Amino acid sequence: MSVFHETRFPFPVSVGATGGPQRRTEIVPLLSGREQRNTTWADSRRRYDAGPGIRSLADIHTLLAFFEARRGPLHGFRFRDPFDNRSTSPDRAPEPTDQRLGTGDGSHAVFQLVKRYESGGESWVRTVTKPVEGSLRIALDGVETEGVSVDWTTGLVTLDIPPSPGVSVTAGFAFDVPVRFEQDRLDLALDQPGAAAAHSIPLIELKP
């Protein structure tokens, strides 16, 4: 039976990885030359190739151990996206006002971590389920609070006291992406004595 392992893909190995979000769009060309476009996915799904990060026999040893312990694609794990791994831009530390989680109503105390992507008046909201332990900062109406707990495996935040009606709940955090190996095998190569490579290690995001 597959389970999720709350362990991160070895970060030194993932340096040099490639990848990013994937959308699925159906495009139907019309006789007029126009197009009809429709998306079959409400959310994007991320794919990565960690192969470029493998540079030595020591990296291969680490990769082999990690792959076998996960039983290949059977068990999911955490991956630190080198391009998008925090509630703000990559050049800034998370602040407690980075992302709006919701508005208090006086009774609800549980909020889901999310990240908004906004451009040109449009936006998409991403559910964040794998925050990095110790990274969370929460603010109520812009004032940071410590009266909060978080489930690091689901991204659910619980405030000690339900926020009053109209109070804005915001958060800053770092996060990992839940992924699995996309293939049942590893293709490894010995380039020269002491230097090795894994030409492709495809990883695919697991949706909540």
Side-chain angles (χ1 to χ4, degrees):
M1 181 179 295
S2 64
V3 296
F4 190 88
H5 292 176
E6 295 290 342
T7 186
R8 183 183 294 159
F9 190 73
F11 185 71
V13 176
S14 67
V15 172
T18 61
Q22 175 189 8
R23 292 276 178 175
R24 179 162 293 177
T25 307
E26 293 180 344
I27 302 175
V28 179
L30 305 179
L31 292 177
S32 64
R34 298 176 182 273
E35 296 177 338
Q36 288 185 344
R37 296 181 299 278
N38 183 54
T39 180
T40 57
W41 290 358
D43 299 319
S44 58
R45 189 179 193 183
R46 280 150 178 79
R47 292 178 180 269
Y48 307 96
D49 188 346
I54 303 298
R55 297 183 177 90
S56 69
L57 285 175
D59 289 343
I60 291 290
H61 182 266
T62 300
L63 174 64
L64 283 170
F66 192 88
F67 181 84
E68 296 290 15
R70 308 286 85 73
R71 311 301 193 270
L74 182 60
H75 303 305
F77 53 91
R78 289 172 174 255
F79 180 76
R80 175 64 62 89
D81 185 329
F83 316 106
D84 185 8
N85 57 45
R86 61 191 67 185
S87 55
T88 183
S89 59
D91 58 338
R92 293 179 51 218
E95 296 289 341
T97 56
D98 285 342
Q99 298 292 327
R100 183 175 61 84
L101 305 187
T103 303
D105 60 6
S107 60
H108 290 88
V110 180
F111 296 84
Q112 175 69 56
L113 290 180
V114 297
K115 181 174 181 178
R116 284 176 172 78
Y117 297 79
E118 299 177 324
S119 177
E122 298 291 329
S123 65
W124 172 67
V125 180
R126 176 184 184 181
T127 300
V128 175
T129 60
K130 300 297 177 184
V132 175
E133 192 166 351
S135 70
L136 181 67
R137 301 178 66 183
I138 294 287
L140 302 177
D141 274 349
V143 180
E144 190 166 7
T145 179
E146 296 184 353
V148 60
S149 60
V150 60
D151 187 332
W152 303 107
T153 68
T154 64
L156 288 175
V157 173
T158 303
L159 299 172
D160 293 348
I161 301 174
S164 301
V167 170
S168 176
V169 182
T170 58
F173 47 87
F175 62 91
D176 295 324
V177 182
V179 303
R180 63 168 173 83
F181 289 103
E182 192 168 1
Q183 298 178 349
D184 277 306
R185 69 180 190 275
L186 291 178
D187 293 323
L188 309 177
L190 186 64
D191 289 345
Q192 55 183 318
H199 297 300
S200 180
I201 308 174
L203 309 175
I204 187 168
E205 182 178 8
L206 297 172
K207 303 306 294 180

